[in-house]
Structures are given as structure tokens and as C-alpha cells.
Amino acid sequence: MDTPELGIVIPALDEAEALPDLLRDLAQLDLRHEVLVVDGGSRDETVQAARRAGARVMRSRTGRARQMNAGARLLRTPWLLIVHADSRLDADALRAVEFHVRAGRSDAACFRLAIAHRHLFYRFIEAAQRIRARYAGLVYGDQGLLIPRDLFFGLGPYPDVPIMEDVILNRRLIVAGRLRTLPATITTSPRRYEEEGRLRAWIRNATLITRFLLDASPAELAHRYPPRRLRAAATPVQRGTATLLVFAKAPRPGKVKTRLARTIGDAAAADVYRRMGRLVVDRLTDARATVTVCYDPPGSGGEVRAWLGDVPARYTAQPPGDLGQRMARMFERAFEAADRVVVIGTDTPSVDAGTIDRALDALDSADVVLGPATDGGYYLMGLRAPCPALFEGIAWSTDTVLHDTASRAREAGARLTWLELESDIDTADDLTPEVLERLGLDPAPGGGRGV
């Protein structure tokens, strides 16, 4: 199968009404492409609408910048197109995308803005935006962003701010001379103007951008631009019990983190693993799940309890077999008392209770949830029912684990949702200053990595 040329990232939050139209537009693209809808916690049928159109689904932390960045990190396509869910792309816009990508250009591009309403007020808004873009370098996220992936991560990604993230990145591109305007328009919805009142919304927007240009921080401005949510309350999801399986090895030198040990030694690698496990388990106390620590090797229960035992949890030995057989069996046991089960390891320091809760929420509309790791594996799997096929014929401890597991899920007809891409700690290169700080370790003098 050919690798897609273009990855399309659509951040979404309660967009079931608008999203299908955009997805129908994108289906007409004459480029190899894949569409990823990055959901920030919708209470409506957004996820279902994405699946019906054949889009991939990710559940990320809420916040448009976070959602767009998370989607861009997951997709490995050479080009990215980032568009808001209430956008529409006509035939001219699609052809402009195709031409820009196929021409081998290295610059990013945006569209001219059009608003889907006939009132003269919106022609004023469109004209004002053209003036702001030309003379103040203000290009908004409503105008879309077509960008080489390398450039996106070279000058970006979006700053993790609550508002103006699109303006900030686009201004970086303009300053670098890397943003051009495509000879086509993207059409956006006027819904906020119509819901809040046209004049009121325009004054609010003009005030916010003026204050931003006068160096007000996005955090200061955010309270004046609250997120738009559905007015009608969603039907509560009926949930049963959830179990979190934490797979852990006894932290013995020479038996854990062997690839890391090749660089820093057995004792130091075991110390890193001990600290990671302690950090991860301590951060799970608020997760909406009963915790079971699954330890290995058999007979190391006392050792593992001494290591992790401050956190309320059940402890049980892992059954015999390879990793897949052990996970399959533990899922089977957990489903005897739970209707949703999640498994994690102890070597991804970024995992916390919020990660687990997002996985459980994603299981409301998915059969399988995968947390992809940068090494080609996964740091989390969530299931709504046992699925032995996910663990069969997998070459464990290789960079094809994630790909092969996702393929098994698709072959089984399972609905799959992705979580954000995270880094396992496997080698010395993974011990970044941020990770070392989390683990209570200091970088070595001279810029090295000390443990």
C-alpha cells in the first residue's frame, strides 16, 4: 500500500453537525491522504461521524493547540493539512492543495478566507481579514494550514496556549518567509457571530487581537473567548467498572532496561526503572479504575510490593508465556469483574491518571484504544472485551508492534481510537533533561545525562 502524501488533522470538540460536510469535501481530494479527527472530549456524535466517513480517531487532551500538535505527531506523512471542523473546501481549494503538494514546494500555505453567509457584514469581515494579513501578518486558523511536516516541527509546533496559537505559528512562518496564500478560498461557519451577536462578537475579536498585538499574553485574553460547546446536555454514558493493569518487572539490575544498561550500567538502569515505576504508579491514584499490579517474575511479589506498595492495588503474578500471551490472559481475568480494561507498563513517565481517564472515555465509542510510543510499540492498550487476536503473531520488542497490533484490530472489525504519542524510556537518548527532572535525577556535568 502506498504511503499517503498528505495527513489531514481536524481538531474537534462537539462537531457532529459540521464535521460530516468537511469530511465529504476531503474525500474528493485526488491525493493519497489520511484523515485524523482529534477529539478533545466531545459529548455529541463527533467520533461516530468521523468513523462513518472512514477517518481515524484520536482522543487527546482538550485544547485546540494540543489537539493539532497531537495529530501532527501521530501522522507520519510528508505533508500536513490542518483545518477546523467547521470549514468547507470546494473543488478549487482541493485542486490548490493538490497542486501545491505535487509541485514539490517547501513552503507552507493558507487559503483566503470566506464566510458562509450572504449578509454584507461578512463581506466586511473578509475584507478586513485580507488587510490584517497583508499589513499586520495576522493569519488565523480558520484559513487552514498546508505545511511540510518537517517545517511544522522546525518552526512550530503550535505553542501550548489557550488562544492565538494559530496566529503565533503563522507569524513565525511569515517572518521566516515560508507562508504563501493559495489561489483559493476556504469557507468557514459564521456560527459564533450568529450565536453571540454579530457586532458584539466583532468588537470582542477586534479587542482581543489589538491587545495581543500590544503584548497581552494569550492566558490573559482567554477568559474573553470561552470555548463553544453544545447547549443541549448529552445523554450520560452508562458505565460499569474499570480495571487498570500495571505490568511491572521486579527492578533487579541486569533484568530491566537492558538496552539502557548498555550505556549507563545495570545498577543505574535499574535505578531509572525503579524511579519510573514509582512515578507512574504514584500518578495513578486518581484514575477512575481499580488498579492491579501484574508482576514478573513469579515469586517477586514481596519485592514489588516493597517498591510500589504505597498505592492501593491488588498484586498478582503474570502468567507464563511471551508478553502477548501474558497480556491476553490478564485481560481475560480482568474482564471477569470489569467491563473496560486498560493495561500500561511502568516505563512511560508521562502517563498519569488523566491518560487513563481519556482511555476509558474513548472506550465509550471504541473497542480498542492504543497509546502509541515513539519506538514503534504502545504504552497503553484499552479494551471493551477480550480480543486474543491482538496478541497473536506479534514480534514483541520490535518497531512493528504498533503497526501489527493496529492491523489486527482492523482485521477483527474493531473500532480503534488513538491516544497521544508518548516516549518510552529504552535508551540513554530517551533520558532528556525533562525526563531526568521528573525522575529526580540531574543531567551530568557538561551536558551529558547523569543518573
Side-chain angles (χ1 to χ4, degrees):
M1 183 176 178
D2 291 335
T3 302
E5 300 167 85
L6 176 68
I8 302 168
V9 179
I10 306 172
L13 186 64
D14 293 335
E15 293 287 4
E17 182 177 348
L19 184 60
D21 288 337
L22 173 60
L23 294 176
R24 279 193 291 272
D25 293 344
L26 294 170
Q28 305 305 310
L29 261 173
D30 186 24
L31 279 173
R32 295 189 306 277
H33 68 278
E34 56 183 324
V35 180
L36 178 66
V37 174
V38 187
D39 183 61
S42 296
R43 300 173 297 180
D44 65 0
E45 298 290 308
T46 293
V47 170
Q48 292 83 345
R51 293 195 198 284
R52 284 193 294 269
R56 298 170 68 184
V57 175
M58 169 185 272
R59 174 66 168 90
S60 83
R61 295 175 296 163
T62 304
R64 191 147 61 192
R66 293 173 176 177
Q67 291 168 240
M68 293 186 292
N69 289 339
R73 289 190 180 102
L74 182 67
L75 295 177
R76 308 302 298 179
T77 53
W79 282 87
L80 297 169
L81 174 62
I82 302 171
V83 288
H84 293 177
D86 62 336
S87 301
R88 299 294 308 273
L89 284 83
D90 62 16
D92 288 340
L94 298 176
R95 300 297 85 76
V97 170
E98 294 161 6
F99 180 83
H100 191 81
V101 171
R102 287 172 173 157
R105 302 185 189 278
S106 60
D107 290 338
C110 63
F111 295 93
R112 298 193 301 264
L113 182 67
I115 300 175
H117 200 291
R118 297 176 63 182
H119 197 281
L120 185 61
F121 171 80
Y122 294 108
R123 305 295 80 76
F124 162 73
I125 296 295
E126 293 166 359
Q129 174 51 33
R130 289 193 292 273
I131 293 170
R132 284 193 298 268
R134 174 172 294 184
Y135 296 107
L138 296 176
V139 177
Y140 299 146
D142 288 334
Q143 293 175 248
L145 180 64
L146 177 62
I147 186 169
R149 189 177 191 277
D150 290 346
L151 180 59
F152 179 81
F153 287 105
L155 287 181
Y158 290 103
D160 188 6
V161 293
I163 192 174
M164 302 292 179
E165 75 289 334
D166 46 5
V167 174
I168 294 170
L169 176 56
N170 288 332
R171 292 183 88 188
R172 289 179 192 162
L173 291 167
I174 291 170
V175 169
R178 302 299 298 275
L179 183 66
R180 63 176 64 196
T181 302
L182 295 171
T185 59
I186 188 170
T187 303
T188 191
S189 167
R191 59 191 181 183
R192 289 200 70 134
Y193 286 102
E194 295 298 303
E195 292 167 357
E196 299 175 12
R198 295 169 186 167
L199 185 59
R200 178 182 177 186
W202 178 77
I203 292 172
R204 187 268 317 282
N205 292 349
T207 301
L208 289 176
I209 197 63
T210 300
R211 291 185 61 193
F212 175 74
L213 293 173
L214 293 174
D215 287 333
S217 73
E220 293 176 65
L221 304 176
H223 71 281
R224 296 286 305 274
Y225 197 81
R228 179 182 180 272
R229 296 300 301 262
L230 285 179
R231 295 174 181 173
T235 303
V237 175
Q238 298 300 315
R239 293 174 175 159
T241 57
T243 293
L244 171 61
L245 304 174
V246 180
F247 268 50
K249 290 183 178 181
R252 300 172 181 173
K255 300 296 183 181
V256 295
K257 291 295 149 197
T258 54
R259 280 193 290 164
L260 178 61
R262 293 170 195 160
T263 304
I264 66 174
D266 290 345
D271 180 53
V272 168
Y273 182 74
R274 180 182 292 274
R275 289 170 182 264
M276 284 194 298
R278 185 75 256 177
L279 173 67
V280 169
V281 171
D282 284 347
R283 297 171 74 187
L284 299 176
T285 53
D286 294 330
R288 303 193 310 266
T290 301
V291 177
T292 296
V293 175
C294 310
Y295 59 83
D296 187 65
S300 63
E303 187 178 350
V304 173
R305 282 178 184 271
W307 170 34
L308 302 175
D310 293 344
V311 175
R314 293 180 60 239
Y315 286 78
T316 185
Q318 297 176 26
D322 65 22
L323 178 58
Q325 293 168 331
R326 285 180 276 143
M327 283 198 291
R329 183 63 183 132
M330 290 309 305
F331 267 111
E332 210 173 282
R333 291 179 188 175
F335 275 116
E336 294 173 2
D339 64 356
R340 290 169 299 154
V341 180
V342 172
V343 65
I344 61 169
T346 51
D347 53 0
T348 309
S350 55
V351 170
D352 58 14
T355 310
I356 307 305
D357 289 347
R358 285 191 293 278
L360 295 173
D361 289 342
L363 286 170
D364 291 339
S365 58
D367 304 305
V368 179
V369 173
L370 289 176
T374 53
D375 63 0
Y378 54 85
Y379 62 86
L380 177 149
M381 175 186 282
L383 299 179
R384 290 185 66 175
C387 188
L390 297 178
F391 308 100
E392 297 171 356
I394 304 294
W396 302 105
S397 300
T398 69
D399 60 6
T400 66
V401 170
L402 181 68
H403 175 272
D404 294 345
T405 303
S407 295
R408 300 288 186 283
R410 288 190 291 269
E411 291 164 4
R415 298 169 298 171
L416 173 60
T417 290
W418 300 90
L419 295 185
E420 295 169 71
L421 184 71
E422 302 288 0
S423 295
D424 286 341
I425 307 303
D426 291 319
T427 69
D429 288 337
D430 298 324
L431 292 175
T432 63
E434 179 185 3
V435 169
L436 290 171
E437 182 178 358
R438 282 185 181 178
L439 298 180
L441 298 167
D442 295 323
R449 294 181 175 89
V451 292

